[in-house]
Amino acid sequence: PEEIKNPFILPRYVRVNLLKSTVDKVVNYFQKNDGYTLLPAVEGKELAHFKPKTFRKDFHLHDLLVFPSNTDFHDHPLYIDGTLILQDKASCFPAHVLSPPPGSVVIDGCAAPGNKTSHVASLMGNKGHIFAFDLDKRRLGLLKRLTTKAGCTCIEPINENFLETDPNDPKYANVEYILLDPSCSGSGIVSRLDQILNQKSQDTSNKLVQERLKSLSDFQLSTIQHAFKFPNVKRISYSTCSIHQIENEDVVRRALESTKEFKLSAHCIPQWKRRGLDGSVENANYVARTLPEEDYVIGFFVSCFERINPNENNNK
Ligand code: SAM
């Protein structure tokens, strides 16, 4: 097979499920059993050229490996046993941003199909509890299957509207971390980078498109404002796989304008260079964005809110 030189294809990102193995053991497995060569970690456009049977540790995330784009894992024993999770790099950002320590109580407000929920469980070593909400029963069924395969034992799937949960229910009294990855336009999702160029030429001046984005962004804002109401929440990650400012920085700005209790956290993948759009929100450098054609990941946005005075009892 020839070296992959197609600059339009994203590499294959593989998350190591720490509930099943360690990164070192998985790296060893690919070297010893599958004849792969480990190359140094690189970022951005250097990922465009990837020889077959080579792989890398990710440049930014400790539990992620990067393979040539056409690598098929579906019959691989480590995929079948739930050790490997096929997940784009950018969609691994939110769990790292939230990074609840083992033992934490967490809400995933819009959880299905559960890739980020299982990632949070992996980082918590299955210690603690995750309430995983989703409105859609079928998608929640997918979450149950996916997280069971991944060996997650700390997840409670709940088929309810997150916006209708009572933040003062004693059940949620110890919730300190909330992950929000609500429905979005999905405009950043691409498997080929030339698709994103088509997306960009999409007419966002079209009235119907504008109306849809406005209604999505109002919903996205309401999830953050609902999360603010949980009395002991101290960190909230908000993410989308959209490239539109109206669903990203604008939602963050509107959320900040509506609270005195939360601010943006600087601990939002600080080593990632591409930050929020200039002038879109105060501290735009505290939020992170991706640009598929340069970063070689899907189009994504992530931000992190933290409580200003975490020790003040917010119970009113
Ligand atoms: N975080 C998921 C993952 O990484 O696998 C993807 C989440 S997807 C972008 C958004 C999800 O939010 C959908 O499954 C949708 O059914 C759910 N959703 C939409 N509105 C909701 C609401 N009000 N309450 C709970 N879930 C909701």
Side-chain angles (χ1 to χ4, degrees):
E2 289 195 359
E3 183 177 348
I4 293 137
K5 284 200 177 118
N6 188 339
F8 286 126
I9 299 181
L10 296 180
R12 165 61 79 190
Y13 292 98
V14 175
R15 174 165 68 78
V16 176
N17 176 8
L18 304 175
L19 301 177
K20 297 267 184 180
S21 189
T22 65
V23 172
D24 286 343
K25 281 186 190 157
V26 170
V27 165
N28 245 322
Y29 187 104
F30 278 104
Q31 289 172 318
K32 302 254 160 68
N33 293 43
D34 296 353
Y36 272 82
T37 304
L38 184 69
L39 302 177
V42 293
E43 60 179 330
K45 286 192 168 166
E46 288 185 75
L47 289 167
H49 307 290
F50 227 138
K51 287 201 175 94
K53 286 280 175 186
T54 64
F55 70 129
R56 304 173 193 270
K57 290 185 180 176
D58 182 66
F59 195 83
H60 300 94
L61 305 181
H62 66 78
D63 53 356
L64 199 66
L65 298 173
V66 197
F67 288 81
S69 43
N70 59 352
T71 317
D72 186 358
F73 286 99
H74 288 92
D75 294 326
H76 197 282
L78 295 185
Y79 173 74
I80 292 169
D81 77 3
T83 301
L84 304 180
I85 312 274
L86 306 183
Q87 188 172 355
D88 184 83
K89 171 171 178 167
S91 82
C92 294
F93 284 173
H96 282 290
V97 165
L98 200 65
S99 59
S104 302
V105 183
V106 179
I107 285 180
D108 186 343
C110 298
N115 277 319
K116 296 180 187 74
T117 330
S118 86
H119 193 187
V120 173
S122 165
L123 296 177
M124 283 166 50
N126 256 342
K127 294 185 184 73
H129 196 76
I130 308 175
F131 298 102
F133 289 91
D134 207 282
L135 258 185
D136 185 324
K137 203 171 176 180
R138 194 190 57 83
R139 285 172 65 90
L140 201 70
L142 209 58
L143 174 141
K144 286 180 198 164
R145 281 208 300 284
L146 198 147
T147 56
T148 303
K149 179 182 170 194
C152 305
T153 53
C154 61
I155 297 172
E156 180 182 336
I158 304 176
N159 186 206
E160 280 173 27
N161 184 341
F162 170 63
L163 298 178
E164 288 171 7
T165 53
D166 175 4
N168 293 310
D169 186 328
K171 206 175 153 182
Y172 306 124
N174 296 321
V175 171
E176 291 185 309
Y177 300 87
I178 301 184
L179 189 146
L180 295 173
D181 184 48
S183 306
C184 71
S185 62
S187 54
I189 294 189
V190 282
S191 55
R192 291 177 55 88
L193 295 173
D194 40 353
Q195 287 170 354
I196 200 91
L197 305 174
N198 294 337
Q199 289 274 9
K200 278 188 182 154
S201 61
Q202 232 186 37
D203 190 9
T204 42
S205 63
N206 176 310
K207 211 160 184 297
L208 280 178
V209 175
Q210 270 180 4
E211 276 169 16
R212 177 163 174 262
L213 293 178
K214 171 77 172 77
S215 108
L216 279 167
S217 63
D218 288 345
F219 163 68
Q220 292 152 353
L221 175 65
S222 66
T223 64
I224 303 176
Q225 288 173 326
H226 192 65
F228 284 162
K229 293 180 192 151
F230 285 75
N232 284 309
V233 66
K234 56 183 191 193
R235 197 181 299 162
I236 300 164
S237 73
Y238 168 72
S239 56
T240 72
C241 53
S242 164
I243 55 172
H244 300 306
Q245 176 178 339
I246 184 174
E247 296 179 271
N248 297 330
E249 291 91 344
D250 288 356
V251 168
V252 168
R253 194 195 62 248
R254 290 163 75 196
L256 289 169
E257 282 166 0
S258 71
T259 181
K260 287 195 170 62
E261 291 170 42
F262 292 84
K263 61 177 182 182
L264 279 179
S265 161
H267 303 288
C268 182
I269 318 282
Q271 66 280 32
W272 182 257
K273 294 190 196 96
R274 195 175 308 285
R275 311 308 296 183
L277 299 175
D278 274 347
S280 55
V281 59
E282 207 180 323
N283 291 328
N285 58 324
Y286 283 10
V287 304
R289 255 185 181 266
T290 66
L291 193 59
E293 61 269 39
E294 292 195 10
D295 300 329
Y296 281 73
V297 299
I298 60 165
F300 204 80
F301 174 85
V302 64
S303 57
C304 182
F305 297 89
E306 65 187 17
R307 191 182 288 282
I308 294 168
N309 291 311
N311 298 328
E312 246 173 44
N313 190 342
N314 193 42
N315 260 322
K316 291 177 199 126

